[in-house]
Amino acid sequence: MRRRSLTVLMALSLLFVSACGDKPDLEGPVDEDLTVIGMCQVGAESDWRVANSESMKAIFTEENGYHLLFDDARQKQENQITAIRKFIQQQVDYIVLMPISEAGWDSVLQEAKEAGIPVILVDRRVDVEDQSLYAAHVGSDFLREGQRAATWIEQAFQEAEKPVRIIHIQGTLGSTAQLGRTAALEEALAAHENWELLVRLDGDFTQAKTYEVMTQYLSSLPGRGEIDVVYCENDNIAFGALQALEEQGYTCGRQGVNIITFDATRGALTECLNGRISLAVECNPLLGPLVEEVIQTMEAGRTPEKHHYVEEQIFTTENLSAALLERRNY
């Protein structure tokens, strides 16, 4: 991969800054032998997202041969599109994109392709007609994650004579994680006649919003309703649901409301070990090394595999320990 012109990078960066008021990405001289990475992150809406960003920043350092231009989109797709166009103007070597949602990327990714800049998707995917608009995707199999959670519910309630009453709290609508985890639950609901979906709420992957919508729902019930499972599409949603449930007098855990969560950050695993969360399905955020593998493959002139899935596991109180939590990197 050819190195982009340092002069062009710096000039365009300063031009963009003067026009838009953003902080300059390139301050001072940059070694022209460094590979320039333009990275567009969703934001910092969750513990998972913060760990994901730190994994990227730890890999793409000048010591490792990179210059990283990091953009925080603050949960807005329009900010991501603006950032990508800025990276194209700066003639970066690679664009690493964590897309907020799947739709709406055809035009800007076509612009990157025409500029000869490979795009690597991280975590979530995009819904585009032309699959050549991105070089590779690195992340998790979100449908598989949801199916593992559904299997746990099936096993936990296999002898239940009453309906299994489920609250579903979704993540950011239209994101790959939300679509996959939702699809898995919908498949399971259709396959089990005794599973009852009480309500589906929008938690947007944040603790604050989940606490708000869950409190509103629980307060609307005529009495304390019977709830067996709360299917939370990430850890921060689970934290908000836990707070709302316990404030309303519910007990969370295997003897009460079973909280199911995805991500398995240290905070969620602590609650799982303590028994307040029944199941934590891992979604590994430490994707920096896999992204670098893709880049190194292209630097060597080879074509990377289209999809790279990270290894993950599931956690319950039975397979957790304090020693495991101590070793957890996120």
Side-chain angles (χ1 to χ4, degrees), residues 1-287:
M1 179 64 61
R2 62 186 175 87
R3 298 282 77 78
R4 308 287 172 167
S5 167
L6 174 61
T7 302
V8 171
L9 276 167
M10 293 185 68
L12 284 171
S13 178
L14 293 173
L15 176 63
F16 194 95
V17 168
S18 62
C20 300
D22 289 343
K23 294 180 180 179
D25 291 314
L26 292 170
E27 299 177 352
V30 178
D31 189 337
E32 62 183 9
D33 291 328
L34 296 177
T35 301
V36 181
I37 310 293
M39 185 171 296
C40 189
Q41 180 61 278
V42 170
E45 82 285 1
S46 65
D47 299 331
W48 189 99
R49 189 65 54 190
V50 172
N52 180 241
S53 294
E54 291 304 314
S55 174
M56 299 296 166
K57 292 176 181 178
I59 291 294
F60 295 107
T61 64
E62 293 195 0
E63 291 76 12
N64 290 339
Y66 304 97
H67 183 79
L68 178 64
L69 308 181
F70 186 90
D71 185 274
D72 182 336
R74 301 181 298 281
Q75 288 79 48
K76 294 183 179 180
Q77 185 175 19
E78 57 266 31
N79 290 345
Q80 291 196 308
I81 292 173
T82 297
I84 291 173
R85 289 189 168 131
K86 176 180 175 181
F87 293 148
I88 293 170
Q89 288 180 323
Q90 293 173 314
Q91 299 182 16
V92 302
D93 294 304
Y94 297 92
I95 292 174
V96 175
L97 170 65
M98 295 76 163
I100 288 175
S101 61
E102 291 199 351
W105 297 104
D106 296 81
S107 295
V108 73
L109 293 190
Q110 181 64 40
E111 293 171 26
K113 180 179 179 180
E114 291 173 357
I117 303 174
V119 175
I120 301 167
L121 305 178
V122 174
D123 178 29
R124 304 169 184 176
R125 298 171 64 172
V126 296
D127 182 11
V128 292
E129 291 187 10
D130 182 1
Q131 296 297 304
S132 71
L133 293 182
Y134 65 94
H137 162 254
V138 174
S140 301
D141 186 336
F142 298 113
L143 178 63
R144 174 59 180 152
E145 288 178 357
Q147 290 170 338
R148 297 179 81 177
T151 297
W152 183 90
I153 299 173
E154 182 179 65
Q155 294 173 348
F157 291 92
Q158 59 183 340
E159 298 181 2
E161 297 179 357
K162 296 181 179 179
V164 179
R165 295 160 289 259
I166 301 171
I167 292 176
H168 178 198
I169 311 180
Q170 296 176 292
T172 302
L173 300 180
S175 67
T176 309
Q178 177 270 309
L179 292 171
R181 293 164 185 167
T182 293
L185 180 60
E186 289 178 342
E187 289 176 358
L189 286 165
H192 296 83
E193 294 183 357
N194 66 324
W195 290 19
E196 178 185 350
L197 180 63
L198 298 176
V199 67
R200 179 168 283 142
L201 304 172
D202 177 10
D204 199 27
F205 286 136
T206 69
Q207 181 171 344
K209 184 171 183 180
T210 299
Y211 173 75
E212 178 185 354
V213 298
M214 189 65 164
T215 298
Q216 289 175 349
Y217 171 72
L218 295 174
S219 299
S220 72
L221 300 177
R224 199 172 76 176
E226 293 188 47
I227 304 168
D228 297 301
V229 174
V230 181
Y231 184 96
C232 305
E233 290 191 354
N234 83 335
D235 288 348
N236 291 81
I237 287 177
F239 300 150
L242 271 169
Q243 183 181 357
L245 284 161
E246 292 181 343
E247 286 183 2
Q248 297 286 332
Y250 291 86
T251 299
C252 295
R254 292 297 291 120
Q255 303 306 314
V257 180
N258 290 273
I259 303 293
I260 291 176
T261 186
F262 298 86
D263 285 354
T265 56
R266 186 185 293 109
L269 293 184
T270 298
E271 297 297 353
C272 190
L273 181 62
N274 293 338
R276 295 171 73 213
I277 287 178
S278 297
L279 176 70
V281 181
E282 184 177 36
C283 181
N284 193 335
L286 307 181
L287 302 176

Side-chain angles (χ1 to χ4, degrees), residues 298-316:
M298 287 189 282
E299 287 286 291
R302 302 191 304 272
T303 301
E305 294 182 11
K306 200 67 173 179
H307 297 285
H308 300 250
Y309 293 120
V310 66
E311 293 185 7
E312 296 166 338
Q313 57 185 315
I314 62 174
F315 298 97
T316 63

